Amino acid sequence: MKAFFEGIQSLFVDFLFLPHDALRKLELSTWFGANIINWILMGICAYYMVYWVKQLQLHKNNNEETQDTTAHSFLK
């Protein structure tokens, strides 16, 4: 049983955490380089939030938005 858990440890430490170790070493030389993934994800999220708000505004301008408070039976 001990070998099974050592195998799991080896899998994570030797293989699956290698990208994290590389980012940790990169942070010592450049902070922006180590956080490039975060910047990319924040940019993607910001783009889709703007897209979502534009779509909401488009539906509101076409009067397709239902704002009936009795849409749910528990609100009657």
Side-chain angles (χ1 to χ4, degrees):
M1 194 64 159
K2 183 177 177 183
F4 174 73
F5 288 110
E6 287 176 350
I8 293 174
Q9 174 189 353
S10 175
L11 171 70
F12 279 91
V13 172
D14 297 336
F15 298 106
L16 298 179
F17 288 155
L18 285 178
H20 297 287
D21 291 337
L23 286 173
R24 183 177 48 182
K25 290 178 185 175
L26 182 62
E27 186 180 15
L28 297 175
S29 60
T30 172
W31 181 85
F32 287 103
N35 289 298
I36 191 71
I37 295 171
N38 295 333
W39 291 107
I40 291 170
L41 290 176
M42 284 192 298
I44 291 170
C45 288
Y47 172 80
Y48 282 108
M49 284 178 63
V50 169
Y51 174 79
W52 180 48
V53 169
K54 284 184 179 182
Q55 290 296 317
L56 287 174
Q57 189 64 34
L58 206 151
H59 287 286
K60 186 175 182 180
N61 291 341
N62 290 338
N63 293 327
E64 296 175 7
E65 185 178 12
T66 304
Q67 294 188 356
D68 186 16
T69 57
T70 60
H72 298 287
S73 61
F74 60 86
L75 294 176
K76 288 183 180 182

